[in-house]
Structures are given as C-alpha cells and as structure tokens.
C-alpha cells in the first residue's frame, strides 16, 4: 500500500504488537497487531464473540494480556498504565451514568475523580458534543443517542489523544447513527485518533478510514477500507428486454461468470427496486462497453447496467469461508 505524505507524517497514537490472551486452557486472542494514527478513524470489525471487547479491555488495562505489547503515545500500557492511559478516553460496552443526576452533574462527578479538570473544560466538552440545551436535564430522560453523546463528553474530559468506542451505534436509530458518524468524523478531523469496534459492517465501511477484521481472536486483515476492496470480485447487473437471449450471450463471454441470485453474494439493498429478471455477472468492469455492444448488435434492448461495488460484508464472508456475522 502506497502512503500519502500526510499519512506518513501522522504519529502513531496506539500501537498493538503480537497481543495474545489465554483464559484457562483456551486462547481467546491470537497474535493481534495494528497501529492507530492521529486524525484517523480505525475500525475494529468482527462478529459478536470475535474478541473485540476482550482486546479493548486489554487496551485500557482492565485485564492483562498473556503476552504482547500495547503502547499509547509511546508509553507501555501494562508497565506504565498511569502514563499511557492519561491519553485515552474510552467507552467500553455501554456508557454508565447516574440516571437520577443531570448530565452536567454526571460530568462533575467524573471530573472530581481526575486531577486538573476544571469547570471550563466541562463547558467545552458539552459544546463539543452539542448538548448545551439538554445538559441540565436528568439522564433518565435522555434518549440512547444522548446518553452516547454524554458518554463521549465524559471520555473527552481528559483531553485524550485516543478515543476508544466499543459498539457506539448499538440501539441507535438510523438518524442517530448518521449523527454519531458525522460527529466522530469531526473529532478525527481535529486530530483525535478514534478506535471504533463494531459488528455492523456497513457502518464501519461508511465511518472508518482503516479497518482491522477480526474473527475467532485472529486478525484476518488490516488496511484502508478502499484498499481491502480493490481487486475483489466485481459485479455487474444487467437489465434487458430479452433476458433469456441476453443470458445466453453473457454466458458465452470469456471471463464472465453468471452469478445465481441464490448465491447471496451481493448486498440485498443494492438490488432493491430491480426487475425480477435481472442478470448478475462477475467480470472485469473494463469489458462492460464491449459486451454492451454485442448485446445491442444482437437486437437486445439494454434497460440498465449497474455496477455493484463489493462491501466489507462480502469481503468478510469470503475471508471466513461463508461464516455469518451476528
């Protein structure tokens, strides 16, 4: 992968090297390695039970790794957790708040436990997460999205260089997810390194710059989202007025494979609204124009040609040999 000059200048905020965790006789995490740089959103993608939360617990020193090294801003989290974790803000699983207190009172309570956080910083993070109008309401009256924002505000109080979010979109409606995605991007644009774990492939694809794919405690790939999808199978959907005749011609083209709808290789949302007799092909998209001419020369009317970009979900299924994601 060729790095841009901006990427090369970015400092590594979080470095995870050969991380392993054994509980009893069972290895839970196997040799996990990745880096997270300032100003990027890094996705940690895998199904429930893949080892995401166990890894995050090691990142924030809630549990110790069996072996491996975790550094934050150059500090070894296991040897010097006080120094390393001073640069980390985290929400592990669900943000825990006192529901009988207001949002402001919750932030005050947390600030008392961390030296050096003044009232001005509380005002600052409230503005950052856009909660000025509701911060003095009791938390029990907050929506789930507002609780997430308050949790992020709490994590930002310490002025972290790394923000860790464990399944931040869980339970949010589509509007809440979109707002959270936009908000996280704003934080990254200001230089914060954001580490997001999720089992929602589509959200990771929309939200993140780079991603590590994990399954059964093993990292299967680490790369830019776009790089992971380059070179994957390309799909083209053909809509014609003579589907049977078009199918025969397409089936006769070298390098073109007819994809059965029952194979389930494409994201169903990409096929919504298409007629029932569409034809899916797996092919080099550079050949579309030539095949289109052959179909037209055969008297077949072309009603539509649609490229379908592979998704992280398809990539994940290929990597895990069809294993599902929950």
């Amino acid at each position: 992968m060729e790095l841009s000059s901006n990427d090369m200048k970015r400092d590594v905020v979080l470095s995870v090297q050969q991380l392993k965790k054994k509980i009893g006789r069972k290895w839970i995490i196997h040799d996990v390695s990745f880096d997270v740089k300032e100003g990027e959103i890094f996705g940690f993608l895998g199904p429930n039970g893949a080892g995401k939360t166990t890894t995050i617990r090691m990142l924030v020193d809630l549990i110790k790794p069996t072996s491996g090294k975790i550094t934050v801003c150059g500090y070894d989290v296991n040897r010097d957790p006080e120094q390393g974790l001073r640069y980390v803000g985290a929400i592990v699983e669900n943000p825990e708040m006192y529901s009988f207190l207001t949002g402001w009172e919750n932030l005050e309570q947390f600030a008392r436990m961390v030296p050096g956080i003044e009232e001005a910083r509380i005002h600052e993070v409230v503005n950052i997460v856009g909660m000025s109008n509701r911060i003095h309401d009791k938390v029990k009256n907050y929506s789930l999205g507002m609780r997430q924002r308050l949790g992020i505000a709490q994590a930002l109080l310490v002025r972290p260089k790394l923000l860790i979010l464990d399944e931040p979109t869980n339970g949010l409606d589509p509007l809440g997810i979109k707002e959270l995605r936009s908000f996280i991007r704003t934080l990254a644009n200001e230089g914060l390194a954001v580490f997001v774990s999720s089992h929602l492939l589509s959200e990771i694809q929309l939200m993140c710059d780079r991603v590590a794919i994990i399954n059964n405690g093993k990292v299967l790939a680490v790369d830019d989202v776009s790089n992971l999808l380059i070179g994957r199978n390309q799909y083209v959907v053909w809509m014609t007025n003579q589907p049977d005749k078009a199918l025969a011609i397409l089936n006769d083209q070298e390098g073109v494979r007819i994809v059965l709808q029952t194979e389930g290789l494409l994201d169903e949302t990409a096929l919504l609204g298409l007629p029932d007799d569409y034809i899916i092909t797996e092919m080099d998209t550079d050949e579309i124009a030539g095949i289109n001419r052959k179909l037209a020369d055969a008297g077949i009317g072309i009603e539509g040609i649609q490229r379908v970009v592979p998704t992280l979900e398809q990539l994940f299924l290929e990597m895990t040999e069809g294993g599902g994601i929950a």
Side-chain angles (χ1 to χ4, degrees):
M1 178 183 67
E2 185 176 341
L3 296 176
S4 69
S5 58
N6 287 336
D7 287 333
M8 293 175 69
K9 292 176 183 177
R10 288 181 176 179
D11 291 333
V12 173
V13 177
L14 169 67
S15 180
V16 178
Q17 300 298 324
Q18 298 178 314
L19 195 65
K20 298 180 182 180
K21 180 63 180 177
K22 188 178 185 180
I23 298 178
R25 297 182 178 180
K26 184 177 181 181
W27 287 99
I28 306 299
I29 301 297
H30 309 262
D31 198 19
V32 168
S33 299
F34 57 83
D35 292 335
V36 181
K37 299 178 181 180
E38 64 180 1
E40 78 169 341
I41 304 174
F42 186 91
F44 200 46
L45 173 65
N48 293 328
K52 301 189 302 296
T53 298
T54 299
T55 300
I56 289 174
R57 288 180 175 274
M58 288 189 281
L59 298 184
V60 296
D61 201 41
L62 290 177
I63 58 176
K64 299 291 185 182
T66 303
S67 64
K69 187 176 182 180
I70 302 165
T71 59
V72 176
C73 296
Y75 292 99
D76 190 315
V77 168
N78 299 125
R79 293 183 178 180
D80 195 357
E82 186 173 342
Q83 283 292 337
L85 296 180
R86 66 185 291 198
Y87 297 104
V88 178
I91 302 176
V92 182
E93 298 178 304
N94 297 318
E96 297 295 335
M97 301 291 170
Y98 296 107
S99 61
F100 59 91
L101 298 178
T102 66
W104 180 271
E105 290 167 340
N106 269 277
L107 294 178
E108 282 184 321
Q109 186 75 10
F110 182 77
R112 293 188 189 103
M113 297 185 286
V114 182
I117 297 180
E118 300 177 349
E119 184 173 323
R121 179 57 181 170
I122 301 178
H123 280 290
E124 189 175 357
V125 298
V126 168
N127 288 329
I128 289 172
V129 300
M131 288 191 63
S132 299
N133 293 334
R134 297 291 304 276
I135 195 63
H136 294 294
D137 294 351
K138 291 190 182 297
V139 170
K140 66 181 179 182
N141 296 321
Y142 283 179
S143 66
L144 183 57
M146 291 179 64
R147 287 174 182 253
Q148 288 283 19
R149 283 179 176 264
L150 184 62
I152 293 173
Q154 176 180 300
L156 293 176
L157 279 173
V158 298
R159 293 183 173 85
K161 294 184 179 296
L162 171 67
L163 178 63
I164 297 175
L165 303 175
D166 186 13
E167 300 279 2
T169 60
N170 266 1
L172 297 183
D173 60 25
L175 178 59
I177 291 174
K178 182 178 179 181
E179 289 176 346
L180 182 64
R181 187 168 63 233
S182 176
F183 171 60
I184 290 174
R185 174 55 60 190
T186 299
L187 294 177
N189 288 343
E190 293 173 356
L192 188 65
V194 184
F195 177 95
V196 180
S197 85
S198 181
H199 67 281
L200 298 175
L201 299 109
S202 59
E203 279 310 310
I204 288 291
Q205 186 166 351
L206 288 170
M207 185 186 301
C208 298
D209 305 305
R210 291 195 303 130
V211 63
I213 298 176
I214 184 172
N215 191 40
N216 295 323
K218 299 178 182 178
V219 168
L220 306 180
V222 181
D223 207 339
D224 290 356
V225 172
S226 58
N227 286 346
L228 283 170
L229 299 178
I230 289 174
R232 311 307 302 181
N233 295 334
Q234 299 291 308
Y235 300 99
V236 180
V237 181
W238 303 83
M239 291 150 280
T240 73
N241 63 356
Q242 299 181 63
D244 292 338
K245 188 175 180 180
L247 180 62
I249 293 175
L250 288 167
N251 205 28
D252 196 41
Q253 303 304 305
E254 185 177 351
V256 175
R257 184 178 79 87
I258 304 300
V259 178
L260 300 178
Q261 296 179 26
T262 54
E263 292 181 45
L265 293 177
L266 299 186
D267 185 349
E268 292 180 0
T269 59
L271 304 174
L272 290 176
L274 298 184
D276 294 336
D277 53 5
Y278 62 81
I279 303 168
I280 305 171
T281 57
E282 181 182 347
M283 58 181 288
D284 184 344
T285 54
D286 290 341
E287 302 299 322
I288 290 176
I291 294 176
N292 183 33
R293 283 194 295 271
K294 288 184 180 180
L295 294 174
D297 290 345
I300 297 172
I302 308 299
E303 297 174 350
I305 303 172
Q306 179 174 315
R307 289 180 57 187
V308 180
V309 179
T311 64
L312 278 177
E313 182 170 11
Q314 291 163 247
L315 176 61
F316 182 87
L317 291 174
E318 288 179 27
M319 286 184 169
T320 57
E321 298 179 342
I325 190 162

